[in-house]
Structure formats: C-alpha cells, structure tokens
Amino acid sequence: MYFLLPDDDLRVSDAERDEAVEFLNRHYAEGRLSEAEHSARVDAAYAASHDSQLERLTGDLPQLPPTGLARRGPSGLHLGPAAAVGAVAVAVLAAASVVPPDVWAMLLGVGLPLLMMLLFTVAPIAIPVLAFVWIARALGGGASRRQLPRGYTRRF
C-alpha cells in the first residue's frame, strides 16, 4: 500500500528532520515564530515521517540565506571580485565628476596624443634594450654576488 503514495510524500530521514528543525530555529531567532509555536513545530518535526508533514511545518516561512558562509569585512558581507570592480568604477566616476570639463578636454586633446606618441616612439627602442639586458642577466653577465646571511662565512 505504501508504494501507491505520491512521489512528493516520501519518508524523511533523521538528517532531513534535523534540517527542518534548524530552519525553524533560525526563524525563531529572527522573530517569526513565538516560543510556543516554535516548540510545537519542533516537536512535530521530530515526529514527522513524510515530506508533506515537514512541508506543512515550514511552508509558510520564507527562505533564508544559507548558513556557514565565510563572514568577511566589518559588516560580515563578502561581495566578491565583481562587486569590488564595480565599486572601483563608481569611485573613478565620482572622482572624474569633480574634474572640470575644460581640464578633461585638455587631457584628452593633449595628453592622449602625447601618450600615443611616446608609446610608438619609445617602445620600439626600449623593448630590444630591455630584452638584451634580460638575456645578459640570464647568461650571468650582470649577475651580482648574492648576499650571505649574517654570521655565515663561505668555506671553499
């Protein structure tokens, strides 16, 4: 006869009962349940044998954010790298709004072409020189003597 029960009315495990009780505890801590209602629901959760019984106990309560997340920062909120990039972008825009438009015109009209000129005139000379220095150091031509720790003397 049990095999004729609908799929959503499966038997629950001890772990699922504990999870439901933890869910009720968190809502009680948030102030959504009175002490008497919390106690009655916890007793019913431990006595529940099917999913539908647990659903009746927790169905009227909203979902909460998962517990166990690493709390970071003074507010305990971890925003992640995308939020950090967004915050930097907002800060740059806020700082840019302080600069008068005529200064922006000068920076874009003079500074940008100057930067491009330096990039295309200095880079073709600097890159081969830097490559030569890098190769010379790798081959030992520019290697300096390594400092030894204080109190250590070289014996050879």
Side-chain angles (χ1 to χ4, degrees):
M1 188 71 142
Y2 287 110
F3 58 88
L4 297 177
L5 291 174
D7 287 341
D8 62 340
D9 203 24
L10 298 174
R11 296 189 66 85
V12 294
S13 67
D14 290 338
E16 290 169 318
R17 286 186 202 94
D18 291 338
E19 186 177 315
V21 169
E22 177 60 30
F23 184 77
L24 293 170
N25 289 340
R26 291 182 62 205
H27 279 287
Y28 174 68
E30 292 282 329
R32 289 191 180 89
L33 299 173
S34 67
E35 187 174 347
E37 188 177 17
H38 173 258
S39 178
R41 287 189 187 204
V42 167
D43 291 342
Y46 281 125
S49 59
H50 292 89
D51 279 338
S52 61
Q53 294 169 317
L54 289 180
E55 178 61 35
R56 279 190 296 256
L57 296 172
T58 60
D60 63 334
L61 298 170
Q63 290 295 324
L64 292 171
T67 59
L69 293 178
R71 297 181 65 91
R72 301 185 184 176
S75 67
L77 185 63
H78 176 64
L79 297 175
V85 169
V88 168
V90 168
V92 166
L93 286 174
S97 66
V98 175
V99 177
D102 56 338
V103 174
W104 276 115
M106 185 182 69
L107 284 173
L108 292 175
V110 175
L112 190 61
L114 184 62
L115 180 67
M116 296 303 287
M117 184 179 66
L118 287 172
L119 179 68
F120 289 109
T121 58
V122 174
I125 298 168
I127 291 176
V129 170
L130 291 175
F132 177 74
V133 170
W134 179 68
I135 292 170
R137 290 202 66 191
L139 294 175
S144 61
R145 297 197 88 144
R146 208 171 56 168
Q147 286 284 37
L148 296 174
R150 187 172 279 197
Y152 180 82
T153 56
R154 204 177 264 184
R155 297 182 189 143
F156 50 111

